[in-house]
Amino acid sequence: MPSQIEFMPSSLFASSSRPGALFRLMLIWLGLSLFIGLPPFADALFGRFHWGFALEVGFAFAVIALVQARRESVPRWLIHVFAAIGTFLLALRLADLTAQSVVNRSLNMFLDVSLLPALWDVAQTLIGWPFAVGAVAGIVVLLVAFYVLCVLALRRASGCLATSQARRGFAMICVAGIAVFAAQRTVFAEVPGWRPFGASASLVFRQQSERLADTIVRRALFRADLATDAADEIAPERLLARLGDRDVIIVYIESYGVTALDEPQYADVILPRLESMQEAAEDAGFAMKSGRMVGVSAGGQSWLNHASFTAGRFIDDQTLYALFLAERPRTLIHDFEMTGRRTVQIKPAITLPWPEGERLGYQATWEAAEMGYHGPNFYWGIVPDQFALDFFARTELEIADRPPVFASVALISSHAPWLPVPEVVSWDELGDGAVYERWTRDAPEAREVWRDQDSIRTQYALSVGHSIDAVARFLRDRIDRDALVVVLGDHQPAPLITGPDASRAVPVHVFSGDESVLAPFADLGFVSGILPEAEAAGGDAALPRMEDFRPFLLEAFSREPEPSS
């Protein structure tokens, strides 16, 4: 009798508590799902697609229920294994969210580890060293706290599943969830709307695994591609012969993407600057054509676009870039050196040892420390654009009895955080750079500007406008009108400026006093004037890409001249 009395209340308690146990279990499921189901874009946080039940969490609960059905207790090690997996998935989602926000692409674990030092430098610049350290510490604390939370939540879930009645109720929920998930992926696959069940964390993990395999395959294909070159069939005496002995200068404007022309809030600032550039160029005797070309990255990694542009190869990640440096394939640098030109690169942002620069093959590399700049640092800019251009002119262009040059000039003033923004001054005012004190003395700190998205976007437009002004003055005053000058953006800015899913195209402007030199650029879709045509109906797929430039240049300026009629 005592045993029967003891049993009855227990049964009644289990039966009456089943709905409450299942309700608590579903709350735990939803709470954990919000963490491991983080969306890839910050503006989607806690949106309708964020609120859903992750099947990965349901799977962990199902295993716990099965173990409890057989053993009546859950081993500690199993709880900790699931907690570790959940923490790894959260870290993966955070990294993917960061990659999407900073460089407008998905995470690639195999490649992006090498970008952590650059990300750290950006974080220090934008929010300051103490806040950057605090952010890293916050991420570590978040992951540790989530691990502890997972352990506690999974233990509570095992308590909710302690009775057979609760386990049967959970089994019915699982069957319903799987049925709904299957319907989402089939019947309602094309219907927009909320998805109550999802497996996005597992999808990200699968994508990362596939991306790793794809990266390894692409690396092998890239190595095989290096065996042939666009210049192999060109006789040495015909190589770029139609360019004669004129200077060829490539000027990259940092973060100058087509968004600067297409979005009214930026175009209102940029287009008048481009019109002034056209007037300055025409006053100096230059004709011009402009177009659009698609970059291989956005938001950063300028070197990938530089390499693709000069090598004529698609180099869109750090592994291919490292292989490119190791194999040292032929590029425009080597092509122009073979024509007797002096090859130089101007790198006003390089302040640390840069052994990779020597592997590119330039005869001379001018870095920030060699430019005689003693003015204030412009955050990542270090040496302002006009000062760098002045140094280039004095050191390479205005030398008596010099050979023609092929030069790559990577300007940096329009790099984030896009402040302070100086004015273009007369060349003799530059001195040693002390003139720039007037624009840095009362300039706001980056962390102040970056608290407000509208302020960030305003500063972006102003900084790109300044770089255009500096290049316009350089064209007008310091370059021989016979030269071929290519001015282009190195990549689109980050999604913070462009918005998600923006084009990766950049404006390209070519200048020369000899219009016959500009004529072949029509084959790339370039049009006369400073403004490229509006965005093509086919989007990026209808535009030439960065890696198309070298094959085009070799073909256009190495072919035999057509006989006159």
Side-chain angles (χ1 to χ4, degrees):
M1 189 67 177
S3 61
Q4 186 178 5
I5 293 173
E6 183 178 355
F7 173 77
M8 290 297 292
S10 175
S11 300
L12 290 172
F13 176 78
S15 176
S16 63
S17 66
R18 183 179 62 185
L22 290 178
F23 179 74
R24 291 192 298 274
L25 186 68
M26 296 301 288
L27 286 180
I28 295 170
W29 189 348
L30 180 61
L32 294 178
S33 298
L34 288 174
F35 283 95
I36 70 169
L38 285 176
F41 298 103
D43 56 5
L45 285 170
F46 303 111
R48 58 177 178 169
F49 292 106
H50 191 184
W51 293 93
F53 295 93
L55 293 184
E56 298 87 354
V57 177
F59 174 78
F61 288 176
V63 173
I64 288 172
L66 290 173
V67 171
Q68 285 200 138
R70 294 177 62 89
R71 299 182 49 176
E72 297 185 357
S73 65
V74 181
R76 288 185 178 180
W77 65 266
L78 184 62
I79 295 291
H80 286 280
V81 166
F82 281 136
I85 293 173
T87 304
F88 172 73
L89 292 175
L90 173 61
L92 201 61
R93 300 311 295 264
L94 288 172
D96 189 49
L97 176 63
T98 302
Q100 293 281 10
S101 301
V102 175
V103 292
N104 197 24
R105 62 166 174 77
S106 298
L107 173 73
N108 188 320
M109 290 190 297
F110 186 71
L111 305 174
D112 289 342
V113 172
S114 63
L115 298 180
L116 289 178
L119 182 61
W120 171 250
D121 287 341
V122 171
Q124 289 186 90
T125 298
L126 298 184
I127 61 177
W129 185 85
F131 287 99
V133 171
V136 173
I139 293 172
V140 173
V141 169
L142 171 64
L143 294 176
V144 172
F146 181 70
Y147 179 84
V148 174
L149 175 66
C150 272
V151 171
L152 297 176
L154 292 171
R155 286 177 180 172
R156 177 61 66 91
S158 68
C160 295
L161 294 168
T163 66
S164 59
Q165 292 93 336
R167 290 194 290 271
R168 283 195 294 270
F170 176 67
M172 290 187 287
I173 293 173
C174 287
V175 171
I178 293 172
V180 170
F181 180 73
Q184 292 171 181
R185 301 297 296 271
T186 55
V187 179
F188 301 103
E190 304 299 325
V191 179
W194 175 59
R195 298 293 189 261
F197 290 90
S200 59
S202 298
L203 176 63
V204 170
F205 180 76
R206 191 194 76 191
Q207 290 173 338
Q208 290 301 319
S209 301
E210 292 173 349
R211 198 164 288 135
L212 171 61
D214 179 64
T215 299
I216 294 173
V217 171
R218 288 177 61 245
R219 184 171 58 177
L221 293 175
F222 183 76
R223 181 174 278 114
D225 182 57
L226 295 181
T228 59
D229 188 79
D232 287 345
E233 304 301 320
I234 300 175
E237 66 274 9
R238 290 300 317 157
L239 182 65
L240 299 169
R242 298 182 69 179
L243 285 174
D245 59 356
R246 57 175 41 86
D247 294 330
V248 178
I249 302 170
I250 299 173
V251 180
Y252 298 98
I253 296 180
E254 170 68 34
S255 299
Y256 175 38
V258 295
T259 294
L261 309 183
D262 296 339
E263 292 296 325
Q265 68 183 113
Y266 308 128
D268 289 345
V269 176
I270 301 301
L271 295 186
R273 308 294 185 96
L274 288 175
E275 291 170 1
S276 297
M277 173 184 269
Q278 178 166 334
E279 292 176 5
E282 289 174 343
D283 289 346
F286 286 101
M288 68 209 74
K289 285 185 179 289
S290 299
R292 298 173 183 236
M293 298 190 78
V294 180
V296 300
S297 72
Q301 296 181 280
S302 306
W303 55 92
L304 301 181
N305 292 286
H306 298 180
S308 297
F309 193 72
T310 57
R313 303 179 190 277
F314 185 68
I315 303 171
D316 70 331
D317 62 48
Q318 199 62 23
T319 293
L320 296 187
Y321 185 73
L323 189 61
F324 162 73
L325 291 178
E327 298 289 337
R328 302 189 186 188
R330 185 168 168 175
T331 68
L332 282 177
I333 305 160
H334 306 94
D335 299 331
F336 279 108
E337 184 177 8
M338 291 179 65
T339 67
R341 287 172 172 82
R342 173 172 163 81
T343 59
V344 299
Q345 58 178 337
I346 309 299
K347 295 289 186 179
I350 299 297
T351 59
L352 298 174
W354 189 45
E356 296 91 343
E358 297 180 4
R359 301 181 190 176
L360 296 174
Y362 288 96
Q363 294 172 336
T365 297
W366 298 104
E367 301 175 3
E370 300 168 294
M371 295 184 182
Y373 178 74
H374 299 291
N377 286 348
F378 275 57
Y379 293 101
W380 265 45
I382 313 300
V383 179
D385 290 351
Q386 189 183 3
F387 193 97
L389 290 169
D390 176 66
F391 173 83
F392 169 49
R394 289 185 287 105
T395 307
E396 296 290 345
L397 301 182
E398 297 169 356
I399 304 297
D401 300 323
R402 65 172 177 85
V405 301
F406 169 70
S408 171
V409 184
L411 302 180
I412 197 67
S413 290
S414 52
H415 192 290
W418 301 304
L419 71 144
V421 180
E423 297 174 9
V424 174
V425 300
S426 62
W427 298 106
D428 56 8
E429 282 187 74
L430 289 173
D432 65 355
V435 66
Y436 288 102
E437 290 284 355
R438 73 176 76 160
W439 292 286
T440 58
R441 190 179 302 118
D442 299 320
E445 292 288 330
R447 64 179 67 93
E448 298 174 23
V449 172
W450 279 68
R451 291 171 183 164
D452 179 69
Q453 191 173 50
D454 289 337
S455 296
I456 297 170
R457 292 178 170 180
T458 297
Q459 290 300 130
Y460 165 74
L462 292 173
S463 68
V464 172
H466 165 71
S467 295
I468 292 171
D469 288 346
V471 174
R473 182 71 65 90
F474 186 62
L475 277 168
R476 191 190 73 181
D477 299 341
R478 309 297 288 274
I479 298 181
D480 189 293
R481 64 180 298 274
D482 191 48
L484 172 63
V485 184
V486 182
V487 179
L488 72 157
D490 61 353
H491 55 68
Q492 278 268 60
L496 177 70
I497 301 297
T498 65
D501 302 321
S503 165
R504 289 201 170 190
V506 299
V508 186
H509 315 284
V510 291
F511 303 86
S512 179
D514 184 348
E515 294 199 33
S516 67
V517 173
L518 300 181
F521 286 89
D523 294 340
L524 289 177
F526 286 27
V527 296
S528 297
I530 199 64
L531 292 180
E533 287 190 329
E535 183 178 5
D540 286 359
L543 297 173
R545 302 182 61 86
M546 287 278 194
E547 64 271 19
D548 296 330
F549 185 78
R550 178 175 175 247
F552 155 76
L553 209 66
L554 291 173
E555 166 63 20
F557 294 101
S558 301
R559 70 168 75 106
E560 294 283 351
E562 297 179 3
S564 59
S565 57

Short mmCIF file of all heavy atoms in Angstrom, two decimals, residues 229-274:
data_model
loop_
_atom_site.label_atom_id
_atom_site.label_comp_id
_atom_site.label_asym_id
_atom_site.label_seq_id
_atom_site.Cartn_x
_atom_site.Cartn_y
_atom_site.Cartn_z
N ASP A 229 50.33 32.06 -70.82
CA ASP A 229 50.24 33.50 -70.59
C ASP A 229 49.74 34.21 -71.84
O ASP A 229 50.02 33.77 -72.96
CB ASP A 229 51.61 34.05 -70.18
CG ASP A 229 51.53 35.50 -69.73
OD1 ASP A 229 51.13 35.74 -68.58
OD2 ASP A 229 51.83 36.38 -70.55
N ALA A 230 49.04 35.32 -71.61
CA ALA A 230 48.47 36.07 -72.72
C ALA A 230 49.52 36.64 -73.65
O ALA A 230 49.23 36.95 -74.82
CB ALA A 230 47.59 37.21 -72.18
N ALA A 231 50.75 36.81 -73.19
CA ALA A 231 51.81 37.40 -74.02
C ALA A 231 52.64 36.35 -74.76
O ALA A 231 53.57 36.72 -75.50
CB ALA A 231 52.73 38.25 -73.15
N ASP A 232 52.31 35.07 -74.58
CA ASP A 232 53.16 34.02 -75.17
C ASP A 232 53.25 34.12 -76.69
O ASP A 232 54.29 33.80 -77.27
CB ASP A 232 52.61 32.64 -74.78
CG ASP A 232 52.89 32.31 -73.32
OD1 ASP A 232 53.72 33.00 -72.72
OD2 ASP A 232 52.24 31.38 -72.78
N GLU A 233 52.16 34.54 -77.33
CA GLU A 233 52.13 34.55 -78.80
C GLU A 233 52.55 35.89 -79.40
O GLU A 233 52.44 36.09 -80.62
CB GLU A 233 50.72 34.19 -79.28
CG GLU A 233 50.19 32.86 -78.77
CD GLU A 233 51.09 31.70 -79.18
OE1 GLU A 233 51.58 31.71 -80.33
OE2 GLU A 233 51.31 30.80 -78.36
N ILE A 234 53.01 36.82 -78.58
CA ILE A 234 53.36 38.15 -79.07
C ILE A 234 54.87 38.24 -79.27
O ILE A 234 55.64 37.97 -78.34
CB ILE A 234 52.88 39.24 -78.09
CG1 ILE A 234 51.36 39.17 -77.92
CG2 ILE A 234 53.30 40.63 -78.58
CD1 ILE A 234 50.82 40.12 -76.88
N ALA A 235 55.28 38.63 -80.45
CA ALA A 235 56.71 38.80 -80.72
C ALA A 235 57.26 39.95 -79.87
O ALA A 235 56.57 40.96 -79.68
CB ALA A 235 56.93 39.09 -82.20
N PRO A 236 58.45 39.81 -79.31
CA PRO A 236 58.99 40.87 -78.43
C PRO A 236 58.98 42.25 -79.06
O PRO A 236 58.71 43.24 -78.38
CB PRO A 236 60.42 40.37 -78.17
CG PRO A 236 60.35 38.89 -78.34
CD PRO A 236 59.35 38.66 -79.42
N GLU A 237 59.25 42.33 -80.37
CA GLU A 237 59.30 43.66 -81.00
C GLU A 237 57.90 44.27 -81.15
O GLU A 237 57.78 45.48 -81.37
CB GLU A 237 59.99 43.58 -82.36
CG GLU A 237 59.26 42.78 -83.42
CD GLU A 237 59.58 41.28 -83.35
OE1 GLU A 237 60.23 40.86 -82.37
OE2 GLU A 237 59.21 40.56 -84.29
N ARG A 238 56.83 43.46 -81.07
CA ARG A 238 55.48 43.98 -81.20
C ARG A 238 54.84 44.23 -79.84
O ARG A 238 53.76 44.83 -79.77
CB ARG A 238 54.58 42.98 -81.96
CG ARG A 238 54.88 42.84 -83.43
CD ARG A 238 54.74 44.15 -84.19
NE ARG A 238 53.57 44.93 -83.82
CZ ARG A 238 53.46 46.24 -83.98
NH1 ARG A 238 54.47 46.94 -84.49
NH2 ARG A 238 52.35 46.87 -83.64
N LEU A 239 55.48 43.81 -78.75
CA LEU A 239 54.87 43.91 -77.43
C LEU A 239 54.55 45.37 -77.08
O LEU A 239 55.45 46.20 -76.95
CB LEU A 239 55.81 43.31 -76.38
CG LEU A 239 55.30 43.30 -74.94
CD1 LEU A 239 54.08 42.39 -74.81
CD2 LEU A 239 56.40 42.84 -73.98
N LEU A 240 53.26 45.69 -77.00
CA LEU A 240 52.78 47.03 -76.63
C LEU A 240 53.40 48.13 -77.50
O LEU A 240 53.52 49.29 -77.08
CB LEU A 240 53.06 47.31 -75.15
CG LEU A 240 52.37 46.33 -74.18
CD1 LEU A 240 52.93 46.52 -72.76
CD2 LEU A 240 50.86 46.56 -74.17
N ALA A 241 53.74 47.76 -78.74
CA ALA A 241 54.46 48.69 -79.61
C ALA A 241 53.62 49.92 -79.95
O ALA A 241 54.17 51.01 -80.18
CB ALA A 241 54.90 47.97 -80.89
N ARG A 242 52.31 49.78 -80.01
CA ARG A 242 51.46 50.89 -80.43
C ARG A 242 51.35 51.97 -79.35
O ARG A 242 50.76 53.03 -79.59
CB ARG A 242 50.07 50.37 -80.80
CG ARG A 242 50.12 49.39 -81.98
CD ARG A 242 48.76 48.90 -82.39
NE ARG A 242 47.94 49.97 -83.00
CZ ARG A 242 46.71 49.78 -83.47
NH1 ARG A 242 46.15 48.57 -83.37
NH2 ARG A 242 46.04 50.78 -84.00
N LEU A 243 51.90 51.70 -78.17
CA LEU A 243 51.96 52.73 -77.13
C LEU A 243 53.20 53.60 -77.26
O LEU A 243 53.34 54.60 -76.53
CB LEU A 243 51.93 52.09 -75.73
CG LEU A 243 50.57 51.56 -75.28
CD1 LEU A 243 50.71 50.82 -73.95
CD2 LEU A 243 49.57 52.69 -75.15
N GLY A 244 54.10 53.22 -78.16
CA GLY A 244 55.31 54.01 -78.33
C GLY A 244 56.12 54.06 -77.05
O GLY A 244 56.23 53.06 -76.32
N ASP A 245 56.69 55.24 -76.77
CA ASP A 245 57.50 55.36 -75.57
C ASP A 245 56.84 56.30 -74.55
O ASP A 245 57.51 56.93 -73.74
CB ASP A 245 58.91 55.85 -75.91
CG ASP A 245 58.88 57.21 -76.61
OD1 ASP A 245 57.78 57.72 -76.89
OD2 ASP A 245 59.97 57.76 -76.87
N ARG A 246 55.52 56.37 -74.57
CA ARG A 246 54.81 57.24 -73.63
C ARG A 246 54.78 56.62 -72.24
O ARG A 246 54.86 55.39 -72.08
CB ARG A 246 53.38 57.52 -74.12
CG ARG A 246 52.56 56.28 -74.35
CD ARG A 246 51.11 56.60 -74.72
NE ARG A 246 50.92 57.68 -75.64
CZ ARG A 246 50.95 57.58 -76.96
NH1 ARG A 246 51.20 56.40 -77.51
NH2 ARG A 246 50.76 58.64 -77.73
N ASP A 247 54.64 57.47 -71.22
CA ASP A 247 54.42 57.00 -69.85
C ASP A 247 53.05 56.32 -69.75
O ASP A 247 52.07 56.76 -70.38
CB ASP A 247 54.46 58.15 -68.85
CG ASP A 247 55.83 58.80 -68.75
OD1 ASP A 247 56.83 58.10 -68.95
OD2 ASP A 247 55.89 60.02 -68.46
N VAL A 248 52.99 55.26 -68.96
CA VAL A 248 51.71 54.60 -68.66
C VAL A 248 51.58 54.60 -67.14
O VAL A 248 52.42 54.03 -66.42
CB VAL A 248 51.67 53.16 -69.22
CG1 VAL A 248 50.35 52.49 -68.83
CG2 VAL A 248 51.85 53.18 -70.73
N ILE A 249 50.54 55.26 -66.66
CA ILE A 249 50.37 55.45 -65.21
C ILE A 249 49.00 54.95 -64.79
O ILE A 249 47.98 55.35 -65.36
CB ILE A 249 50.52 56.95 -64.84
CG1 ILE A 249 51.89 57.47 -65.29
CG2 ILE A 249 50.32 57.16 -63.34
CD1 ILE A 249 52.02 58.98 -65.19
N ILE A 250 48.98 54.06 -63.82
CA ILE A 250 47.72 53.55 -63.25
C ILE A 250 47.57 54.16 -61.86
O ILE A 250 48.46 54.02 -61.02
CB ILE A 250 47.73 52.02 -63.17
CG1 ILE A 250 47.87 51.42 -64.57
CG2 ILE A 250 46.47 51.50 -62.48
CD1 ILE A 250 48.05 49.92 -64.60
N VAL A 251 46.45 54.81 -61.63
CA VAL A 251 46.18 55.44 -60.34
C VAL A 251 44.94 54.79 -59.73
O VAL A 251 43.85 54.86 -60.32
CB VAL A 251 45.97 56.95 -60.48
CG1 VAL A 251 45.68 57.59 -59.11
CG2 VAL A 251 47.18 57.62 -61.13
N TYR A 252 45.11 54.15 -58.58
CA TYR A 252 43.98 53.54 -57.87
C TYR A 252 43.46 54.51 -56.81
O TYR A 252 44.22 55.00 -55.98
CB TYR A 252 44.42 52.26 -57.17
CG TYR A 252 44.92 51.16 -58.08
CD1 TYR A 252 46.29 50.97 -58.28
CD2 TYR A 252 44.04 50.29 -58.72
CE1 TYR A 252 46.76 49.96 -59.10
CE2 TYR A 252 44.50 49.28 -59.53
CZ TYR A 252 45.86 49.11 -59.72
OH TYR A 252 46.33 48.10 -60.54
N ILE A 253 42.17 54.79 -56.84
CA ILE A 253 41.54 55.59 -55.79
C ILE A 253 40.85 54.63 -54.82
O ILE A 253 39.95 53.88 -55.21
CB ILE A 253 40.53 56.60 -56.37
CG1 ILE A 253 41.25 57.61 -57.26
CG2 ILE A 253 39.76 57.30 -55.26
CD1 ILE A 253 40.33 58.64 -57.88
N GLU A 254 41.27 54.66 -53.60
CA GLU A 254 40.77 53.75 -52.57
C GLU A 254 39.25 53.89 -52.38
O GLU A 254 38.72 54.99 -52.27
CB GLU A 254 41.49 54.04 -51.25
CG GLU A 254 40.92 53.34 -50.04
CD GLU A 254 41.13 51.84 -50.06
OE1 GLU A 254 42.17 51.38 -50.57
OE2 GLU A 254 40.24 51.12 -49.56
N SER A 255 38.56 52.73 -52.39
CA SER A 255 37.12 52.64 -52.08
C SER A 255 36.23 53.43 -53.03
O SER A 255 35.11 53.78 -52.67
CB SER A 255 36.85 53.09 -50.63
OG SER A 255 37.53 52.29 -49.71
N TYR A 256 36.72 53.69 -54.22
CA TYR A 256 35.93 54.42 -55.22
C TYR A 256 35.19 53.41 -56.07
O TYR A 256 35.72 52.84 -57.02
CB TYR A 256 36.88 55.28 -56.06
CG TYR A 256 36.27 56.04 -57.23
CD1 TYR A 256 35.00 56.61 -57.14
CD2 TYR A 256 36.98 56.19 -58.41
CE1 TYR A 256 34.47 57.31 -58.21
CE2 TYR A 256 36.46 56.90 -59.49
CZ TYR A 256 35.20 57.45 -59.38
OH TYR A 256 34.66 58.14 -60.44
N GLY A 257 33.93 53.15 -55.72
CA GLY A 257 33.11 52.18 -56.44
C GLY A 257 31.97 52.87 -57.18
O GLY A 257 31.73 54.07 -57.03
N VAL A 258 31.23 52.11 -57.99
CA VAL A 258 30.15 52.70 -58.77
C VAL A 258 29.02 53.22 -57.89
O VAL A 258 28.21 54.05 -58.33
CB VAL A 258 29.59 51.69 -59.80
CG1 VAL A 258 30.64 51.33 -60.83
CG2 VAL A 258 29.06 50.44 -59.11
N THR A 259 28.96 52.77 -56.64
CA THR A 259 27.98 53.33 -55.72
C THR A 259 28.14 54.84 -55.59
O THR A 259 27.16 55.58 -55.42
CB THR A 259 28.11 52.67 -54.33
OG1 THR A 259 27.75 51.28 -54.46
CG2 THR A 259 27.20 53.31 -53.31
N ALA A 260 29.39 55.32 -55.71
CA ALA A 260 29.64 56.76 -55.61
C ALA A 260 28.98 57.53 -56.75
O ALA A 260 28.72 58.73 -56.62
CB ALA A 260 31.15 57.02 -55.61
N LEU A 261 28.71 56.85 -57.87
CA LEU A 261 28.06 57.50 -59.00
C LEU A 261 26.56 57.22 -59.06
O LEU A 261 25.79 58.04 -59.55
CB LEU A 261 28.69 57.02 -60.32
CG LEU A 261 30.21 57.10 -60.45
CD1 LEU A 261 30.63 56.65 -61.84
CD2 LEU A 261 30.72 58.48 -60.15
N ASP A 262 26.16 56.07 -58.58
CA ASP A 262 24.78 55.62 -58.76
C ASP A 262 23.83 56.01 -57.64
O ASP A 262 22.63 56.11 -57.86
CB ASP A 262 24.75 54.09 -58.92
CG ASP A 262 25.49 53.63 -60.17
OD1 ASP A 262 25.68 54.45 -61.09
OD2 ASP A 262 25.89 52.45 -60.23
N GLU A 263 24.36 56.18 -56.43
CA GLU A 263 23.50 56.53 -55.30
C GLU A 263 23.45 58.04 -55.14
O GLU A 263 24.50 58.68 -54.98
CB GLU A 263 24.02 55.88 -54.02
CG GLU A 263 23.91 54.37 -54.00
CD GLU A 263 22.46 53.91 -54.03
OE1 GLU A 263 21.60 54.60 -53.43
OE2 GLU A 263 22.18 52.88 -54.66
N PRO A 264 22.26 58.64 -55.16
CA PRO A 264 22.16 60.11 -55.13
C PRO A 264 22.88 60.77 -53.96
O PRO A 264 23.47 61.84 -54.12
CB PRO A 264 20.64 60.34 -55.05
CG PRO A 264 20.04 59.12 -55.68
CD PRO A 264 20.95 57.99 -55.31
N GLN A 265 22.87 60.14 -52.77
CA GLN A 265 23.49 60.80 -51.63
C GLN A 265 25.00 60.94 -51.79
O GLN A 265 25.61 61.84 -51.21
CB GLN A 265 23.18 60.04 -50.34
CG GLN A 265 23.82 58.67 -50.23
CD GLN A 265 23.42 57.96 -48.96
OE1 GLN A 265 22.74 56.96 -48.98
NE2 GLN A 265 23.85 58.48 -47.83
N TYR A 266 25.61 60.08 -52.60
CA TYR A 266 27.03 60.20 -52.90
C TYR A 266 27.25 60.98 -54.21
O TYR A 266 28.18 61.78 -54.32
CB TYR A 266 27.68 58.83 -53.01
CG TYR A 266 27.41 57.94 -51.83
CD1 TYR A 266 26.91 56.64 -51.99
CD2 TYR A 266 27.62 58.39 -50.52
CE1 TYR A 266 26.66 55.82 -50.91
CE2 TYR A 266 27.36 57.57 -49.43
CZ TYR A 266 26.87 56.29 -49.64
OH TYR A 266 26.61 55.49 -48.56
N ALA A 267 26.39 60.72 -55.19
CA ALA A 267 26.57 61.35 -56.49
C ALA A 267 26.47 62.87 -56.40
O ALA A 267 27.15 63.59 -57.16
CB ALA A 267 25.52 60.82 -57.47
N ASP A 268 25.66 63.38 -55.49
CA ASP A 268 25.54 64.83 -55.35
C ASP A 268 26.88 65.47 -55.00
O ASP A 268 27.13 66.64 -55.32
CB ASP A 268 24.51 65.16 -54.25
CG ASP A 268 23.09 64.84 -54.69
OD1 ASP A 268 22.87 64.64 -55.90
OD2 ASP A 268 22.20 64.78 -53.82
N VAL A 269 27.75 64.71 -54.34
CA VAL A 269 29.08 65.20 -53.98
C VAL A 269 30.10 64.85 -55.06
O VAL A 269 30.95 65.67 -55.43
CB VAL A 269 29.53 64.61 -52.63
CG1 VAL A 269 30.96 65.04 -52.30
CG2 VAL A 269 28.57 65.04 -51.52
N ILE A 270 30.02 63.63 -55.60
CA ILE A 270 31.06 63.11 -56.49
C ILE A 270 30.95 63.66 -57.90
O ILE A 270 31.96 64.02 -58.52
CB ILE A 270 31.01 61.57 -56.51
CG1 ILE A 270 31.20 60.99 -55.10
CG2 ILE A 270 32.06 61.01 -57.47
CD1 ILE A 270 32.49 61.37 -54.45
N LEU A 271 29.76 63.72 -58.45
CA LEU A 271 29.62 64.12 -59.86
C LEU A 271 30.16 65.52 -60.15
O LEU A 271 30.84 65.72 -61.18
CB LEU A 271 28.16 63.99 -60.31
CG LEU A 271 27.59 62.57 -60.31
CD1 LEU A 271 26.19 62.55 -60.91
CD2 LEU A 271 28.50 61.60 -61.07
N PRO A 272 29.91 66.51 -59.29
CA PRO A 272 30.55 67.82 -59.56
C PRO A 272 32.07 67.75 -59.55
O PRO A 272 32.74 68.46 -60.32
CB PRO A 272 30.02 68.70 -58.42
CG PRO A 272 28.72 68.06 -58.01
CD PRO A 272 28.96 66.60 -58.17
N ARG A 273 32.63 66.86 -58.70
CA ARG A 273 34.09 66.72 -58.68
C ARG A 273 34.58 66.10 -59.99
O ARG A 273 35.63 66.49 -60.51
CB ARG A 273 34.52 65.83 -57.51
CG ARG A 273 33.97 66.23 -56.15
CD ARG A 273 34.48 67.57 -55.67
NE ARG A 273 34.03 67.88 -54.33
CZ ARG A 273 34.72 67.67 -53.22
NH1 ARG A 273 35.92 67.13 -53.29
NH2 ARG A 273 34.21 68.00 -52.04
N LEU A 274 33.83 65.13 -60.51
CA LEU A 274 34.23 64.53 -61.78
C LEU A 274 34.12 65.53 -62.93
O LEU A 274 34.97 65.54 -63.84
CB LEU A 274 33.36 63.31 -62.07
CG LEU A 274 33.63 62.07 -61.21
CD1 LEU A 274 32.62 60.97 -61.52
CD2 LEU A 274 35.04 61.55 -61.41
#
